Amino acid sequence: MTNMERWQPVVGYEGVYEVSNLGRVRSLDRTVRRGAATYFRAGVLLTPKRQTTGHLWVGLCSRGRKTAHRIHALVLAAFTGPRPKGMEIRHLDGDAKNNALTNLVYGTSSENKHDAYAHGALKSGEASHFARLSNAEVQSLRSLRGSLSSRAAAERFGLNAGYVRAIWRGDARRYA
């Protein structure tokens, strides 16, 4: 039964909030004091909000302060422990809205970037919106190495000579 939902306390908010292995967050039933008044607050499932990056977040309250937390960070902290220094959270399927524990792992920045390229979230070469040359033009430019100066090649293609040298060295447009 891998789809069975399990709940763990949210790290730092124990007794107030819980997060599930399916990526849902809920507040718990509790008694709240405000001044001299005491009242009961029933727990509810929190409605996540979406960042422009696609990641989901919720606002958690503690001592009258509300703080935004990305749900994927809450899930991994609760179920696998604190994030190791220098590590990022990877969404294995490339979907920033899928915060199920089975879709999340800690990884390096390089692994996360590789995932983004593999899932099509980041584009390289002529597919990038930054591309000034097609792959065929890059190949043509490379064929000129040794027969033209970088300045002359740059003028021919309407580029900066430093960028031409970077292409020739393989530091730019590596996969064209």
Side-chain angles (χ1 to χ4, degrees):
M1 294 201 158
T2 57
N3 286 350
M4 201 163 124
E5 192 165 24
R6 297 184 331 259
W7 293 89
Q8 291 282 358
V10 171
V11 176
Y13 294 87
E14 293 83 355
V16 183
Y17 296 99
E18 289 182 335
V19 63
S20 84
N21 61 318
L22 301 181
R24 300 191 317 156
V25 182
R26 68 183 177 191
S27 64
L28 300 175
D29 292 347
R30 62 187 183 272
T31 304
V32 178
R33 272 207 237 174
R34 214 164 256 157
T38 302
Y39 59 95
F40 175 78
R41 177 175 284 167
V44 296
L45 198 59
L46 303 184
T47 303
K49 294 170 183 53
R50 198 161 124 192
Q51 294 181 305
T52 55
T53 60
H55 294 96
L56 300 178
W57 65 276
V58 291
L60 304 181
C61 290
S62 175
R63 297 185 182 122
R65 289 190 109 151
K66 193 171 199 174
T67 312
H69 296 271
R70 285 184 168 184
I71 294 174
H72 62 254
L74 299 177
V75 171
L76 272 183
F79 286 92
T80 64
R83 184 185 317 197
K85 187 175 174 103
M87 298 295 249
E88 297 180 358
I89 297 174
R90 298 169 53 205
H91 287 80
L92 298 176
D93 68 357
D95 181 2
K97 297 181 303 295
N98 181 358
N99 292 310
L101 179 60
T102 55
N103 187 49
L104 303 173
V105 292
Y106 292 123
T108 64
S109 177
S110 178
E111 289 170 324
N112 209 10
K113 189 80 74 181
H114 178 74
D115 291 346
Y117 279 111
H119 296 299
L122 290 178
K123 299 187 179 3
S124 64
E126 67 184 14
S128 169
H129 67 282
F130 292 115
R132 300 198 46 202
L133 300 173
S134 69
N135 288 342
E137 289 171 318
V138 170
Q139 293 300 332
S140 176
L141 176 61
R142 283 195 176 122
S143 71
L144 297 175
R145 185 177 188 179
S147 62
L148 277 182
S149 70
S150 59
R151 178 178 287 165
E155 286 175 15
R156 183 180 289 185
F157 286 88
L159 300 171
N160 173 295
Y163 185 55
V164 169
R165 288 190 297 274
I167 290 173
W168 285 349
R169 281 192 313 269
D171 293 338
R173 294 299 297 271
R174 216 174 276 170
Y175 305 106

